[in-house]
Amino acid sequence: MRHALRLAGRGRGRVEPNPMVGAVVVQDGALVSEGHHAAFGGPHAEVVALRAAGAAARAATLYVSLEPCGHHGKTPPCAEAILEAGVTRVVYAADDPNPATAGRGPARLRSAGVRVEGGLLSDEASALNAPYEKLMTRGLPYVTCKWAMSLDGRVAAHGGEARWVTGPEARARGHRERDHADAILVGVGTVLADDPELTCRVPLGRNPRRVVLDSLARTPPVSRLATTAREVPVWLAVTSEAPAGRREALRNLGVRVLEVNERPPVDLARLLRMLGEERLTHLLVEGGPTVHGAFFDGGHVDRVLAFLAPSILGGPPGRSPVAGHGAASPSGAARLSRPRLEALGEDLLLEALVAAGERSHATTLTASPEGGP
Protein backbone atom coordinates (compact mmCIF):
# COMPACT_ATOMS: atom_id res chain seq x y z
CA MET A 1 0.00 0.00 0.00
CA ARG A 2 2.88 2.37 0.67
CA HIS A 3 4.08 1.70 -2.86
CA ALA A 4 0.59 2.43 -4.17
CA LEU A 5 0.65 5.76 -2.32
CA ARG A 6 4.04 6.63 -3.82
CA LEU A 7 2.66 5.83 -7.27
CA ALA A 8 -0.39 8.00 -6.61
CA GLY A 9 1.82 11.01 -5.91
CA ARG A 10 3.10 10.91 -9.50
CA GLY A 11 -0.23 12.35 -10.63
CA ARG A 12 0.10 15.52 -8.54
CA GLY A 13 -0.75 18.57 -10.60
CA ARG A 14 -1.98 16.48 -13.53
CA VAL A 15 -5.15 14.71 -12.41
CA GLU A 16 -7.02 17.50 -10.61
CA PRO A 17 -9.92 17.86 -9.95
CA ASN A 18 -9.72 14.06 -9.74
CA PRO A 19 -7.87 12.45 -6.81
CA MET A 20 -4.38 11.02 -7.02
CA VAL A 21 -4.58 7.23 -7.01
CA GLY A 22 -2.05 4.40 -7.23
CA ALA A 23 -2.66 0.67 -7.59
CA VAL A 24 -0.60 -2.52 -7.26
CA VAL A 25 -1.54 -6.08 -8.32
CA VAL A 26 -0.05 -8.84 -6.13
CA GLN A 27 -0.16 -12.59 -6.79
CA ASP A 28 1.16 -15.09 -4.20
CA GLY A 29 3.06 -12.34 -2.41
CA ALA A 30 4.83 -11.10 -5.52
CA LEU A 31 4.23 -7.81 -7.31
CA VAL A 32 2.67 -8.46 -10.72
CA SER A 33 1.98 -4.94 -12.01
CA GLU A 34 1.36 -1.37 -10.95
CA GLY A 35 -0.28 1.80 -12.21
CA HIS A 36 -1.36 5.31 -11.32
CA HIS A 37 -3.86 7.87 -12.53
CA ALA A 38 -1.62 10.01 -14.72
CA ALA A 39 -3.90 12.66 -16.22
CA PHE A 40 -7.42 14.02 -15.86
CA GLY A 41 -9.69 12.14 -18.24
CA GLY A 42 -7.22 9.27 -18.60
CA PRO A 43 -7.56 5.70 -17.31
CA HIS A 44 -7.74 5.24 -13.56
CA ALA A 45 -4.95 3.58 -11.60
CA GLU A 46 -6.79 0.26 -11.22
CA VAL A 47 -7.37 -0.04 -14.95
CA VAL A 48 -3.72 0.75 -15.76
CA ALA A 49 -2.47 -1.87 -13.29
CA LEU A 50 -4.97 -4.52 -14.41
CA ARG A 51 -4.17 -4.02 -18.08
CA ALA A 52 -0.48 -4.44 -17.30
CA ALA A 53 -1.21 -7.62 -15.32
CA GLY A 54 -3.34 -9.26 -17.99
CA ALA A 55 -4.26 -12.85 -17.13
CA ALA A 56 -2.05 -12.72 -14.03
CA ALA A 57 -4.71 -10.56 -12.35
CA ARG A 58 -7.06 -13.53 -12.01
CA ALA A 59 -7.39 -14.56 -8.35
CA ALA A 60 -4.90 -11.81 -7.38
CA THR A 61 -5.07 -9.08 -4.76
CA LEU A 62 -5.38 -5.44 -5.81
CA TYR A 63 -4.02 -2.75 -3.49
CA VAL A 64 -5.35 0.72 -4.29
CA SER A 65 -4.90 4.00 -2.43
CA LEU A 66 -8.55 5.09 -2.79
CA GLU A 67 -11.70 3.02 -2.88
CA PRO A 68 -12.48 1.86 -6.45
CA CYS A 69 -15.14 3.99 -8.12
CA GLY A 70 -18.53 2.52 -8.92
CA HIS A 71 -20.01 5.19 -11.18
CA HIS A 72 -19.73 6.28 -14.80
CA GLY A 73 -17.72 9.50 -15.16
CA LYS A 74 -15.20 10.28 -17.87
CA THR A 75 -14.29 6.58 -17.66
CA PRO A 76 -16.30 3.42 -16.83
CA PRO A 77 -16.51 2.21 -13.21
CA CYS A 78 -13.30 0.67 -11.92
CA ALA A 79 -15.35 -1.88 -9.96
CA GLU A 80 -16.50 -3.45 -13.23
CA ALA A 81 -12.93 -3.61 -14.57
CA ILE A 82 -11.86 -5.36 -11.37
CA LEU A 83 -14.61 -7.95 -11.74
CA GLU A 84 -13.78 -8.55 -15.38
CA ALA A 85 -10.11 -9.09 -14.51
CA GLY A 86 -11.01 -11.80 -12.00
CA VAL A 87 -9.45 -10.17 -8.93
CA THR A 88 -10.66 -11.91 -5.78
CA ARG A 89 -9.40 -9.51 -3.09
CA VAL A 90 -9.23 -5.71 -2.98
CA VAL A 91 -7.51 -3.70 -0.26
CA TYR A 92 -7.94 0.07 -0.34
CA ALA A 93 -6.64 2.87 1.86
CA ALA A 94 -9.17 5.72 2.06
CA ASP A 95 -12.87 6.18 1.43
CA ASP A 96 -13.81 8.47 -1.46
CA PRO A 97 -15.46 11.67 -0.18
CA ASN A 98 -17.15 12.25 -3.55
CA PRO A 99 -20.87 11.71 -2.86
CA ALA A 100 -21.36 10.54 -6.45
CA THR A 101 -19.30 7.43 -5.83
CA ALA A 102 -18.73 7.03 -2.07
CA GLY A 103 -19.17 3.38 -1.10
CA ARG A 104 -20.63 2.27 -4.42
CA GLY A 105 -17.52 0.55 -5.74
CA PRO A 106 -16.81 -1.56 -2.64
CA ALA A 107 -20.50 -2.47 -2.38
CA ARG A 108 -20.57 -3.66 -6.00
CA LEU A 109 -17.46 -5.77 -5.46
CA ARG A 110 -18.74 -7.34 -2.26
CA SER A 111 -22.06 -8.20 -3.89
CA ALA A 112 -20.11 -10.10 -6.55
CA GLY A 113 -18.17 -12.10 -3.96
CA VAL A 114 -14.91 -10.15 -3.93
CA ARG A 115 -13.24 -9.83 -0.54
CA VAL A 116 -12.89 -6.09 0.16
CA GLU A 117 -10.92 -4.50 2.99
CA GLY A 118 -10.63 -0.75 3.59
CA GLY A 119 -8.72 1.62 5.84
CA LEU A 120 -5.13 0.45 5.38
CA LEU A 121 -2.89 3.56 5.77
CA SER A 122 -6.02 5.70 5.51
CA ASP A 123 -4.45 8.71 7.25
CA GLU A 124 -1.59 8.84 4.77
CA ALA A 125 -3.97 8.44 1.86
CA SER A 126 -6.29 11.18 3.11
CA ALA A 127 -3.35 13.54 3.62
CA LEU A 128 -2.20 12.90 0.06
CA ASN A 129 -5.59 13.90 -1.32
CA ALA A 130 -6.42 16.67 1.17
CA PRO A 131 -7.10 19.19 -1.65
CA TYR A 132 -9.49 16.79 -3.38
CA GLU A 133 -11.24 16.02 -0.10
CA LYS A 134 -11.75 19.72 0.66
CA LEU A 135 -13.19 20.36 -2.78
CA MET A 136 -15.56 17.38 -2.50
CA THR A 137 -16.76 18.08 1.04
CA ARG A 138 -16.73 21.91 1.20
CA GLY A 139 -16.67 23.02 -2.42
CA LEU A 140 -13.52 25.07 -1.80
CA PRO A 141 -9.95 24.92 -3.08
CA TYR A 142 -7.14 23.92 -0.76
CA VAL A 143 -5.04 27.00 0.08
CA THR A 144 -1.27 27.03 0.47
CA CYS A 145 0.45 30.27 1.53
CA LYS A 146 4.08 30.48 0.40
CA TRP A 147 6.78 33.02 1.21
CA ALA A 148 10.54 33.42 1.53
CA MET A 149 12.18 35.33 4.36
CA SER A 150 15.47 36.04 6.09
CA LEU A 151 16.34 34.63 9.50
CA ASP A 152 15.10 37.86 11.12
CA GLY A 153 11.71 37.50 9.45
CA ARG A 154 12.05 40.02 6.59
CA VAL A 155 10.63 39.33 3.15
CA ALA A 156 12.57 42.24 1.63
CA ALA A 157 15.37 44.66 2.45
CA HIS A 158 14.34 48.04 3.91
CA GLY A 159 14.68 49.58 0.45
CA GLY A 160 12.05 47.17 -0.86
CA GLU A 161 14.36 44.84 -2.80
CA ALA A 162 13.24 41.20 -2.44
CA ARG A 163 15.25 39.45 -5.17
CA TRP A 164 16.63 37.19 -4.10
CA VAL A 165 16.11 36.40 -0.41
CA THR A 166 16.71 32.68 -0.99
CA GLY A 167 19.01 30.71 -3.27
CA PRO A 168 18.42 28.87 -6.55
CA GLU A 169 17.49 25.54 -4.97
CA ALA A 170 14.72 27.14 -2.92
CA ARG A 171 13.44 29.05 -5.94
CA ALA A 172 13.39 25.85 -8.00
CA ARG A 173 11.35 24.16 -5.26
CA GLY A 174 8.91 27.07 -5.37
CA HIS A 175 8.43 26.58 -9.09
CA ARG A 176 7.65 22.90 -8.51
CA GLU A 177 4.85 24.08 -6.24
CA ARG A 178 3.50 26.17 -9.12
CA ASP A 179 3.64 23.07 -11.30
CA HIS A 180 1.46 21.24 -8.77
CA ALA A 181 -1.11 24.02 -8.23
CA ASP A 182 -4.28 24.73 -10.21
CA ALA A 183 -3.97 28.47 -9.64
CA ILE A 184 -1.55 31.00 -8.20
CA LEU A 185 -2.82 34.17 -6.49
CA VAL A 186 -1.22 37.57 -5.80
CA GLY A 187 -2.51 41.03 -4.97
CA VAL A 188 -2.44 43.92 -7.40
CA GLY A 189 0.24 45.55 -5.22
CA THR A 190 2.63 42.78 -6.29
CA VAL A 191 1.64 43.27 -9.93
CA LEU A 192 2.27 47.02 -9.78
CA ALA A 193 5.57 46.69 -7.90
CA ASP A 194 7.15 43.68 -9.62
CA ASP A 195 5.28 43.08 -12.91
CA PRO A 196 5.56 39.30 -12.38
CA GLU A 197 4.72 36.67 -14.96
CA LEU A 198 3.83 33.97 -12.39
CA THR A 199 4.62 31.09 -14.72
CA CYS A 200 6.24 27.74 -13.92
CA ARG A 201 9.88 27.35 -14.92
CA VAL A 202 10.12 23.62 -14.29
CA PRO A 203 11.01 21.72 -17.50
CA LEU A 204 7.77 20.32 -18.95
CA GLY A 205 5.96 21.98 -16.05
CA ARG A 206 2.37 23.17 -16.09
CA ASN A 207 1.48 26.83 -15.77
CA PRO A 208 -1.28 27.41 -13.20
CA ARG A 209 -4.08 29.91 -13.77
CA ARG A 210 -3.02 33.33 -12.51
CA VAL A 211 -5.45 35.08 -10.16
CA VAL A 212 -5.06 38.73 -9.09
CA LEU A 213 -6.88 40.40 -6.21
CA ASP A 214 -7.61 43.73 -7.88
CA SER A 215 -10.73 45.38 -6.48
CA LEU A 216 -10.49 48.42 -8.82
CA ALA A 217 -8.98 46.72 -11.89
CA ARG A 218 -5.66 48.55 -11.58
CA THR A 219 -3.66 45.84 -13.36
CA PRO A 220 -1.95 47.63 -16.28
CA PRO A 221 -2.89 46.42 -19.78
CA VAL A 222 0.84 46.53 -20.58
CA SER A 223 1.76 44.25 -17.66
CA ARG A 224 3.27 40.85 -18.35
CA LEU A 225 0.19 39.19 -16.90
CA ALA A 226 -2.24 41.03 -19.18
CA THR A 227 -0.16 40.70 -22.33
CA THR A 228 0.21 36.92 -21.89
CA ALA A 229 -3.39 36.23 -20.81
CA ARG A 230 -4.23 34.42 -24.05
CA GLU A 231 -1.29 32.07 -23.49
CA VAL A 232 -1.79 31.39 -19.77
CA PRO A 233 -5.18 32.26 -18.23
CA VAL A 234 -5.41 35.35 -16.02
CA TRP A 235 -8.41 35.84 -13.74
CA LEU A 236 -8.95 39.27 -12.21
CA ALA A 237 -11.00 39.35 -8.99
CA VAL A 238 -12.66 42.78 -8.85
CA THR A 239 -15.53 44.58 -7.12
CA SER A 240 -18.47 46.46 -8.63
CA GLU A 241 -16.53 49.70 -8.17
CA ALA A 242 -13.90 48.70 -10.75
CA PRO A 243 -14.25 51.16 -13.68
CA ALA A 244 -15.93 49.64 -16.72
CA GLY A 245 -13.27 51.01 -19.07
CA ARG A 246 -10.45 49.28 -17.21
CA ARG A 247 -12.36 46.01 -17.16
CA GLU A 248 -13.07 46.15 -20.87
CA ALA A 249 -9.46 46.94 -21.77
CA LEU A 250 -8.30 43.88 -19.85
CA ARG A 251 -11.05 41.65 -21.25
CA ASN A 252 -9.95 42.64 -24.76
CA LEU A 253 -6.53 41.17 -23.93
CA GLY A 254 -8.07 37.86 -22.85
CA VAL A 255 -8.22 38.51 -19.11
CA ARG A 256 -11.23 36.96 -17.39
CA VAL A 257 -12.80 39.48 -15.01
CA LEU A 258 -14.64 38.06 -11.99
CA GLU A 259 -16.89 40.51 -10.15
CA VAL A 260 -16.84 39.12 -6.62
CA ASN A 261 -18.67 41.69 -4.47
CA GLU A 262 -19.77 45.33 -4.43
CA ARG A 263 -17.16 47.35 -2.52
CA PRO A 264 -13.43 46.89 -1.87
CA PRO A 265 -11.78 44.81 -0.65
CA VAL A 266 -12.44 41.61 -2.58
CA ASP A 267 -14.40 39.18 -0.40
CA LEU A 268 -12.02 36.22 -0.12
CA ALA A 269 -14.64 33.78 1.14
CA ARG A 270 -16.84 34.52 -1.86
CA LEU A 271 -13.90 34.36 -4.26
CA LEU A 272 -12.88 30.96 -2.92
CA ARG A 273 -16.43 29.69 -3.42
CA MET A 274 -16.29 30.90 -7.02
CA LEU A 275 -12.96 29.15 -7.58
CA GLY A 276 -14.42 25.98 -6.08
CA GLU A 277 -17.33 26.16 -8.52
CA GLU A 278 -14.69 26.26 -11.26
CA ARG A 279 -13.34 22.97 -9.85
CA LEU A 280 -10.00 24.46 -8.85
CA THR A 281 -8.51 22.08 -6.32
CA HIS A 282 -5.33 23.77 -5.08
CA LEU A 283 -4.66 27.51 -4.80
CA LEU A 284 -1.09 28.70 -4.19
CA VAL A 285 -1.01 32.16 -2.57
CA GLU A 286 2.23 34.05 -3.27
CA GLY A 287 1.07 37.49 -2.23
CA GLY A 288 2.67 40.07 0.01
CA PRO A 289 2.13 40.44 3.76
CA THR A 290 -1.29 42.11 3.37
CA VAL A 291 -2.64 39.35 1.16
CA HIS A 292 -1.30 36.62 3.44
CA GLY A 293 -2.72 38.47 6.44
CA ALA A 294 -6.14 38.60 4.80
CA PHE A 295 -6.10 34.85 4.16
CA PHE A 296 -5.05 34.08 7.73
CA ASP A 297 -7.51 36.56 9.25
CA GLY A 298 -10.29 34.95 7.25
CA GLY A 299 -9.35 31.42 8.33
CA HIS A 300 -8.74 30.30 4.74
CA VAL A 301 -5.22 28.81 4.94
CA ASP A 302 -4.67 25.05 4.97
CA ARG A 303 -0.92 24.78 4.48
CA VAL A 304 2.19 26.93 4.84
CA LEU A 305 5.45 26.82 2.89
CA ALA A 306 8.02 29.09 4.51
CA PHE A 307 11.45 29.31 2.87
CA LEU A 308 14.07 30.48 5.38
CA ALA A 309 17.40 31.96 4.30
CA PRO A 310 20.44 32.00 6.64
CA SER A 311 20.77 35.77 6.37
CA ILE A 312 20.03 38.86 8.46
CA LEU A 313 18.55 41.81 6.55
CA GLY A 314 18.18 44.04 9.61
CA GLY A 315 17.55 47.78 9.28
CA PRO A 316 14.39 49.63 10.30
CA PRO A 317 11.30 47.58 11.12
CA GLY A 318 10.68 45.57 7.98
CA ARG A 319 7.82 43.69 6.51
CA SER A 320 6.96 40.34 8.02
CA PRO A 321 5.50 37.66 5.73
CA VAL A 322 2.02 37.96 7.30
CA ALA A 323 0.28 41.22 8.23
CA GLY A 324 -3.46 41.55 8.86
CA HIS A 325 -4.88 41.82 12.36
CA GLY A 326 -2.43 39.41 13.92
CA ALA A 327 -2.72 37.78 17.33
CA ALA A 328 -3.16 39.92 20.46
CA SER A 329 -1.03 37.45 22.43
CA PRO A 330 1.05 34.33 21.70
CA SER A 331 -1.84 32.18 22.89
CA GLY A 332 -3.93 33.51 20.02
CA ALA A 333 -1.44 32.56 17.31
CA ALA A 334 -2.50 30.32 14.45
CA ARG A 335 -1.03 26.94 15.35
CA LEU A 336 0.68 24.76 12.75
CA SER A 337 0.77 20.97 12.79
CA ARG A 338 2.89 18.24 11.20
CA PRO A 339 5.88 20.52 10.60
CA ARG A 340 8.53 19.17 8.24
CA LEU A 341 11.94 20.68 7.48
CA GLU A 342 13.71 20.26 4.15
CA ALA A 343 17.21 21.49 3.31
CA LEU A 344 17.48 23.27 -0.04
CA GLY A 345 21.06 24.31 -0.65
CA GLU A 346 21.86 26.79 2.12
CA ASP A 347 18.16 27.46 2.79
CA LEU A 348 15.51 25.63 4.75
CA LEU A 349 11.87 24.96 3.88
CA LEU A 350 9.34 24.61 6.65
CA GLU A 351 6.18 22.88 5.45
CA ALA A 352 3.28 22.64 7.89
CA LEU A 353 -0.49 22.41 8.05
CA VAL A 354 -2.76 24.95 9.70
CA ALA A 355 -4.73 23.14 12.37
CA ALA A 356 -8.41 22.83 11.44
CA GLY A 357 -9.49 24.46 14.69
CA GLU A 358 -7.39 27.52 13.92
CA ARG A 359 -9.12 28.00 10.56
CA SER A 360 -12.52 28.16 12.28
CA HIS A 361 -11.58 31.23 14.37
CA ALA A 362 -11.83 33.76 11.56
CA THR A 363 -11.57 37.45 12.34
CA THR A 364 -13.01 40.42 10.48
CA LEU A 365 -10.84 41.78 7.70
CA THR A 366 -10.34 45.52 7.67
CA ALA A 367 -7.26 45.98 5.48
CA SER A 368 -7.51 45.82 1.70
CA PRO A 369 -5.90 42.59 0.41
CA GLU A 370 -4.64 44.54 -2.60
CA GLY A 371 -2.26 46.54 -0.42
CA GLY A 372 -4.05 49.84 -1.21
CA PRO A 373 -7.45 51.53 -1.16
Side-chain angles (χ1 to χ4, degrees):
M1 186 61 78
R2 292 196 187 280
H3 186 50
L5 288 168
R6 286 192 292 270
L7 291 170
R10 296 179 182 177
R12 190 185 307 276
R14 301 297 181 271
V15 303
E16 291 80 2
N18 281 352
M20 294 177 278
V21 184
V24 175
V25 177
V26 174
Q27 183 72 267
D28 297 325
L31 188 147
V32 173
S33 64
E34 61 187 42
H36 70 281
H37 185 30
F40 179 70
H44 288 188
E46 301 95 315
V47 172
V48 175
L50 293 171
R51 286 175 180 171
R58 188 158 298 278
T61 295
L62 174 71
Y63 290 86
V64 59
S65 60
L66 190 73
E67 70 171 75
C69 67
H71 74 299
H72 284 272
K74 286 187 173 292
T75 59
C78 290
E80 299 304 324
I82 293 170
L83 294 176
E84 291 174 9
V87 169
T88 54
R89 178 173 175 245
V90 172
V91 182
Y92 68 88
D95 295 332
D96 193 333
N98 184 352
T101 190
R104 293 175 60 178
R108 173 73 180 96
L109 294 172
R110 289 188 178 104
S111 69
V114 176
R115 181 182 171 189
V116 180
E117 303 165 30
L120 180 61
L121 301 183
S122 61
D123 288 346
E124 290 92 329
S126 294
L128 177 71
N129 277 314
Y132 169 74
E133 183 172 332
K134 185 178 179 183
L135 184 65
M136 288 297 105
T137 59
R138 298 177 58 192
L140 299 172
Y142 189 84
V143 175
T144 293
C145 276
K146 166 188 167 291
W147 62 77
M149 65 182 182
S150 63
L151 188 60
D152 54 338
R154 312 292 178 90
V155 297
H158 66 80
E161 180 63 40
R163 294 184 180 180
W164 297 104
V165 172
T166 53
E169 294 90 347
R171 297 198 297 273
R173 177 68 165 78
H175 279 282
R176 288 203 299 275
E177 284 296 316
R178 291 184 181 183
D179 178 46
H180 295 159
D182 295 305
I184 180 171
L185 181 145
V186 299
V188 71
T190 295
V191 176
L192 296 173
D194 301 333
D195 191 21
E197 196 167 9
L198 302 180
T199 52
C200 174
R201 293 172 178 81
V202 174
L204 303 179
R206 181 189 67 162
N207 287 318
R209 296 168 183 83
R210 300 169 294 176
V211 181
V212 182
L213 296 177
D214 190 358
S215 61
L216 299 177
R218 293 187 292 153
T219 295
V222 296
S223 66
R224 290 198 284 178
L225 286 176
T227 56
T228 59
R230 297 194 190 280
E231 301 164 23
V232 181
V234 174
W235 294 2
L236 209 67
V238 305
T239 66
S240 302
E241 294 186 8
R246 293 183 191 173
R247 299 193 206 190
E248 191 60 25
L250 291 164
R251 284 197 185 100
N252 289 338
L253 292 169
V255 175
R256 182 177 176 186
V257 179
L258 306 175
E259 185 176 313
V260 181
N261 53 288
E262 291 186 6
R263 297 180 181 84
V266 171
D267 185 323
L268 294 183
R270 186 173 298 179
L271 173 62
L272 289 171
R273 287 196 297 272
M274 294 170 70
L275 297 182
E277 290 168 359
E278 296 284 347
R279 313 302 288 167
L280 295 189
T281 308
H282 187 188
L283 177 67
L284 179 63
V285 178
E286 289 194 14
T290 305
V291 169
H292 286 144
F295 272 87
F296 274 98
D297 284 346
H300 305 305
V301 184
D302 299 288
R303 173 172 169 256
V304 167
L305 289 176
F307 293 86
L308 180 64
S311 62
I312 304 293
L313 286 173
R319 298 190 305 168
S320 75
V322 182
H325 284 295
S329 66
S331 63
R335 305 302 300 178
L336 304 182
S337 65
R338 301 184 187 179
R340 186 177 70 87
L341 278 175
E342 178 182 349
L344 297 165
E346 294 183 346
D347 303 313
L348 290 176
L349 168 62
L350 172 65
E351 178 181 359
L353 305 180
V354 180
E358 303 301 328
R359 293 197 299 272
S360 66
H361 294 92
T363 55
T364 303
L365 174 65
T366 57
S368 167
E370 287 82 18

